[in-house]
Amino acid sequence: MEAKFQIFLTLLAVLAGTALLARRLNVAPAILLLISGIALAFVPGMPGIELPPELILLLVLPPLIYSAAVAMSWREFCSNLRPIALLAIGCVIFTACAVAVATHYLIGLPWSVGFLLGAIVAPPDVVAPLAIARKLGLPRRILVVLEGEGLANDATALILYRFAVVAITTGAFSLPQASATFVAILAGEVLFGAAVGWLSLRARHWVRDPQIEMTLSLLTPYIAYWIPEHLGGSGVIATVACGLYISWNGPLLIPSATRLQGIFFWDLVIYLIEGMLFLLTGFQMRVLLEKSKEFPFGDILTASILVAAIVIVARFAWVYPASYLPGLLSKRLRAREPLPNRRAVFVVAFTGVRGAVSLAAALALPYALPGGELFPDRDLILFVAFGVILITLIGLGLTLPAVVRLLGVARAGKDEYAAERDSEIAARREALAAALASLDAMTNDRELSDEVVKLLRARHETRANLLPVSFGPDRDQVSATGITLVRELIAAERTFIHRQLRDGKITDESRRRIERDLDLEEASLANREVGTGTV
């Protein structure tokens, strides 16, 4: 037990060091974590760590999907539902079929085994590409489409995966029955996920205790995932629906204290899960090499390169027609929505990185058929899945920034960002105006004293004066300078308060209350610079 805990602490240390190095090198952390995991696996004396598939599919996947769904905009998801569905459903099925055809005719795998391999490697993992894309400032629609695809494509792949496993173990497959089951699973999980989201929000609104609400928020994705998964579904669609429901309906039901704690809580949870996931994925290289003696290394390498090439080419072959054909065939769609930019389409097609879910699905394959025979080509499927992850994550992940810069796609993203900031400033001003009108109504209805009204108006005027007139390079520079100076002033306050505590002029309780106010003010500065979180 002590040895396992030491390994866990070692992995945490490697995770922190690798993340810091990735920031210095401006590389997606997932890439360096995978490489670090491979290197760590071959350190002398390091015991082998075999990644249990149920750890990914049942314990790790639900919070990752739920967190991404809560951070996703329901409105943007709906407005981009067509391209998201074409990628998350159409492209996954197309890629699985392409891999099945290629491996059957070029390697000689049975159709069922080839389709199973295709279902395993078909869904892209968007963790690394999205981390890169956000840093590069890609247009918002590209980010939304990639994020939406990442939410739903695992569901399609896992359903296909189960169909293929059943076909291999039973020797029977019915396309009409499988299609009807697929549609029933999608519809049923959407309704179930929305119901879990509704129940979770009501329960959290009722308890009104941040610690209990955090506990309920952690339970929510597992309830949404485990029950459909146990009944034969994927669980992914239900978790996505649950997260999207909470994203859209939560702001008015979740208290501010819970929201503030939830952001930091979920940021840490997702950071640790994703980091450990890629580290442990790299760790599997040692386990795989120990088993690879049954296959010639040349055959494994050839199969991995072939399948990696197929999944990359298949994505390009699907993305371009799926991006342009709907508009070319529908005059109404063409009038409402211009044809997408060729460069943006290329970037979407290029982000075909595979990740840990593919490896987990391969690891989850049974060792034997019901009759006692060995599961056909299980180890080969496992080797190829890892090879595809390695090739796409390192190859496509490392070259994506160069591709984006070469195509100049980020320039459009900068213009969108400026427009978004102007809209945000306008919304803040309108919200302050609405609050001022509410204050006037309160003054008339409640007969408030002049001192109270004066204090509230001063607060209102201070917040209004902090808002810039508009967003632009000069104004952004002024804002950045102001934020830096405020941080220095807060640091000066902290130093003084600490001195007051050491001199015995205030108690620890007083210091904590003052420090909390300073922490909240400093957090508000960070909020002006970036981001949202999961609650």
Side-chain angles (χ1 to χ4, degrees):
M1 187 65 184
E2 183 180 349
K4 291 182 179 180
F5 187 68
Q6 290 175 350
I7 293 174
F8 175 71
L9 292 179
T10 302
L11 292 177
L12 280 181
V14 172
L15 170 59
T18 304
L20 180 61
L21 181 61
R23 184 186 302 174
R24 296 284 177 85
L25 298 178
N26 199 25
V27 176
I31 298 173
L32 288 187
L33 286 169
L34 181 69
I35 297 173
S36 299
I38 295 173
L40 197 61
F42 293 98
V43 171
M46 178 66 71
I49 301 178
E50 194 157 355
L51 192 62
E54 61 274 9
L55 180 70
I56 304 295
L57 297 180
L58 296 180
L59 295 180
V60 172
L61 196 56
L64 289 179
I65 296 171
Y66 172 78
S67 173
V70 172
M72 183 83 182
S73 166
W74 167 252
R75 182 176 57 190
E76 291 180 330
F77 183 85
C78 291
S79 62
N80 291 279
L81 186 58
R82 177 180 50 81
I84 289 173
L86 285 172
L87 287 172
I89 299 176
C91 189
V92 169
I93 295 175
F94 177 76
T95 303
C97 293
V99 171
V101 171
T103 53
H104 177 73
Y105 287 108
L106 298 179
I107 301 180
L109 291 181
W111 281 107
S112 56
V113 175
F115 189 76
L116 173 61
L117 177 58
I120 289 172
V121 299
D125 185 296
V126 295
V127 173
L130 271 180
I132 298 169
R134 290 194 178 102
K135 286 183 180 180
L136 296 173
L138 289 182
R140 179 65 185 167
R141 192 181 186 200
I142 294 180
L143 296 178
V144 170
V145 170
L146 290 177
E147 196 170 0
E149 177 196 8
L151 285 176
N153 60 12
D154 289 335
T156 306
L158 290 176
I159 293 171
L160 296 179
Y161 167 86
R162 293 192 177 187
F163 289 163
V165 171
V166 169
I168 293 173
T169 55
T170 64
F173 177 77
S174 171
L175 181 60
Q177 182 179 354
S179 302
T181 303
F182 185 85
V183 174
I185 288 174
L186 290 180
E189 289 197 18
V190 167
L191 294 175
F192 179 78
V196 172
W198 181 89
L199 184 63
S200 174
L201 280 180
R202 267 61 190 179
R204 292 164 62 179
H205 184 68
W206 178 68
V207 299
R208 287 194 169 276
D209 182 290
Q211 282 73 35
I212 299 176
E213 289 187 65
M214 287 298 95
T215 305
L216 292 175
S217 77
L218 190 59
L219 286 173
T220 298
Y222 292 107
I223 295 172
Y225 184 92
W226 282 357
I227 295 177
E229 195 275 341
H230 181 71
L231 295 176
S234 71
V236 175
I237 293 296
T239 311
V240 170
C242 176
L244 289 174
Y245 183 91
I246 290 176
S247 171
W248 185 252
N249 296 282
L252 297 179
L253 294 174
I254 298 175
S256 59
T258 302
R259 187 161 27 247
L260 288 172
Q261 293 184 35
I263 290 172
F264 299 119
F265 170 78
W266 276 98
D267 280 349
L268 177 62
V269 168
I270 299 306
Y271 170 77
L272 292 176
I273 288 176
E274 289 181 348
M276 285 294 185
L277 195 55
F278 282 102
L279 265 179
L280 292 174
T281 299
F283 238 100
Q284 303 313 296
M285 172 65 85
R286 175 175 171 178
V287 178
L288 293 175
L289 283 181
E290 290 173 354
K291 296 180 178 180
S292 65
K293 299 174 183 178
E294 303 174 13
F295 297 94
F297 180 75
D299 292 349
I300 296 174
L301 183 62
T302 301
S304 299
I305 293 175
L306 171 65
V307 175
I310 292 298
V311 299
I312 294 171
V313 172
R315 185 170 176 86
F316 275 90
W318 177 268
V319 167
Y320 272 90
S323 300
Y324 292 108
L325 279 180
L328 295 175
L329 297 175
S330 172
K331 188 179 295 185
R332 180 183 302 176
L333 180 61
R334 193 164 58 249
R336 186 177 73 248
E337 183 180 305
L339 293 177
N341 181 279
R342 297 192 309 273
R343 297 175 179 181
V345 173
F346 186 90
V347 170
V348 172
F350 194 81
T351 53
V353 173
R354 269 57 186 176
V357 173
S358 294
L359 182 62
L363 287 167
L365 289 173
Y367 286 95
L369 299 176
E373 308 93 340
L374 292 176
F375 194 93
D377 300 299
R378 184 185 187 277
D379 288 340
L380 179 62
I381 291 173
L382 193 57
F383 300 144
V384 172
F386 186 86
V388 171
I389 294 171
L390 195 63
I391 293 169
T392 57
L393 182 59
I394 296 177
L396 298 181
L398 287 178
T399 54
L400 180 59
V403 169
V404 171
R405 284 192 291 267
L406 182 64
L407 296 176
V409 180
R411 285 194 294 269
K414 292 178 181 178
D415 295 337
E416 283 186 7
Y417 177 71
E420 179 183 339
R421 289 299 299 271
D422 283 339
S423 299
E424 178 184 332
I425 292 169
R428 287 177 181 269
R429 288 194 177 279
E430 291 170 6
L432 287 173
L436 183 60
S438 180
L439 175 59
D440 292 337
M442 290 178 187
T443 304
N444 296 329
D445 295 341
R446 304 184 188 180
E447 298 181 356
L448 300 176
S449 67
D450 292 340
E451 287 297 321
V452 172
V453 174
K454 185 178 179 180
L455 180 64
L456 293 174
R457 288 190 182 278
R459 170 188 175 274
H460 177 85
E461 290 172 3
T462 300
R463 294 183 63 197
N465 290 334
L466 288 174
L467 292 176
V469 177
S470 63
F471 175 78
D474 295 336
R475 176 59 64 179
D476 193 38
Q477 182 62 39
V478 171
S479 178
T481 303
I483 288 173
T484 301
L485 292 175
V486 172
R487 283 200 173 105
E488 292 180 12
L489 294 175
I490 292 174
E493 285 189 61
R494 290 187 194 279
T495 302
F496 179 80
I497 293 301
H498 184 65
R499 191 181 305 125
Q500 293 283 89
L501 176 67
R502 293 179 62 181
D503 293 342
K505 295 181 179 180
I506 59 173
T507 64
D508 278 288
E509 288 299 319
S510 298
R511 188 264 304 171
R512 292 190 184 98
R513 284 193 292 269
I514 297 172
E515 198 170 60
R516 176 173 171 78
D517 288 340
L518 295 177
D519 289 342
L520 291 173
E521 185 177 358
E522 194 164 0
S524 72
L525 296 178
N527 186 55
R528 297 182 196 176
E529 295 174 322
V530 66
T532 56
T534 301
V535 293

